[in-house]
Amino acid sequence: MTVRTSEATSQFPSYAARAGKVISLADRINGCFLRSMNGKALPVDSADMKAMVAYFNWMEKGCHLNDKIPGRGTGKIDNTFKPNLTHGKDIYAAQCASCHGANGEGTKRADSSYIYPPLWGNQSFNIGAGMARLYTAAAFVKNNMPIGAQNRFPLAQGGLSDQDAVDVAGYFTTQWRSDFPAKIHDWPNGGKPKDARY
Ligand code: HEC
């Protein structure tokens, strides 16, 4: 899920090309549950959904629709790079597998909750998630992964070149993950990005 800035509330309701209509913040959050978490949507009027929307509202801090908000989304990547999956597999083994598992299965705590999320398989985000797209994933990885690799605030994250980020994203996004049958309704008015997985 890439809506992780405090100012998300000010950006909704707004038109979403993937949905082909104006969506609310609750719709956007449910998109994360359905796609990024490969789970179920919450009723819009449930206490849990209301609590999350209230939390985003509380963090809004005077931002307005169409404001350019630092930190929103995944950051930039040069999408003219083509992935080299063999090299991506090597990067994965050397720099990612220690946390995300040799087979993308993630790492669990003793109580079997995840400390490091799985990157493929049926516990990972499904093909309808933004993270299943090559350049979205590569941009996320370039700016946020691997954690603990260098000197950058706050998590010592980042450090891969654009090409390396595209290679490793090419590798893990093309591993097996769950389908998202409702994907047939996506981008009803066109505008599908070229790296969508379907
Ligand atoms: C020190 C442990 C660590 C290492 C090494 C690491 N990650 Fe992560 N990774 C994490 C954690 C923790 C999260 C969850 C972050 C969050 O939820 O904000 C994460 C999240 C992710 C996600 C998002 C998963 C999702 O479900 O949305 C991707 C993709 C990812 N990492 C890719 C990589 C890649 C590729 C590498 C190697 C270049 C890497 N990571 C190395 C700890 C690590």
Side-chain angles (χ1 to χ4, degrees), residues 95-96 99-100 116-117 119 125 131 140-141 145-147 160 172:
Q95 300 196 48
C96 320
C99 290
H100 293 291
Y116 302 127
L119 296 193
F125 54 89
M131 198 61 84
F140 174 83
V141 167
M145 294 290 143
I147 289 174
L160 295 185
F172 75 77

Side-chain angles (χ1 to χ4, degrees), residues 27 29-41 126 180:
D27 293 333
I29 293 171
N30 270 335
C32 298
F33 282 132
L34 289 163
R35 297 162 187 262
S36 311
M37 309 307 293
N38 194 31
K40 295 193 173 70
N126 64 42
F180 182 62

Side-chain angles (χ1 to χ4, degrees), residues 43-139:
V44 169
D45 57 359
S46 64
D48 286 347
M49 179 59 83
K50 283 183 175 162
M52 280 183 285
V53 170
Y55 182 60
F56 279 108
N57 278 332
W58 176 69
M59 289 195 293
E60 184 181 0
K61 298 199 177 82
C63 290
H64 302 291
L65 189 64
N66 300 326
D67 280 357
K68 289 250 179 288
I69 297 171
R72 187 174 189 217
T74 50
K76 289 205 183 346
I77 191 96
D78 183 341
N79 67 5
T80 61
F81 286 97
K82 299 282 173 263
N84 175 333
L85 302 192
T86 312
H87 187 230
K89 185 176 183 182
D90 292 343
I91 296 172
Y92 185 84
Q95 300 196 48
C96 320
S98 57
C99 290
H100 293 291
N103 298 305
E105 72 278 20
T107 304
K108 289 183 172 180
R109 302 183 183 87
D111 68 1
S112 81
S113 63
Y114 281 108
I115 180 163
Y116 302 127
L119 296 193
W120 62 91
N122 62 5
Q123 296 298 308
S124 183
F125 54 89
N126 64 42
I127 69 160
M131 198 61 84
R133 287 171 44 197
L134 173 64
Y135 295 109
T136 303

Side-chain angles (χ1 to χ4, degrees), residues 124-193:
S124 183
F125 54 89
N126 64 42
I127 69 160
M131 198 61 84
R133 287 171 44 197
L134 173 64
Y135 295 109
T136 303
F140 174 83
V141 167
K142 183 186 171 188
N143 292 298
N144 301 288
M145 294 290 143
I147 289 174
Q150 40 131 14
N151 246 341
R152 186 173 147 192
F153 185 78
L155 297 173
Q157 77 278 30
L160 295 185
S161 66
D162 282 30
Q163 182 69 65
D164 285 355
V166 169
D167 292 351
V168 74
Y171 174 66
F172 75 77
T173 56
T174 51
Q175 301 300 310
W176 185 85
R177 65 190 63 260
S178 296
D179 190 18
F180 182 62
K183 67 183 187 288
I184 57 168
H185 304 301
D186 287 352
W187 293 291
N189 308 326
K192 188 200 292 199

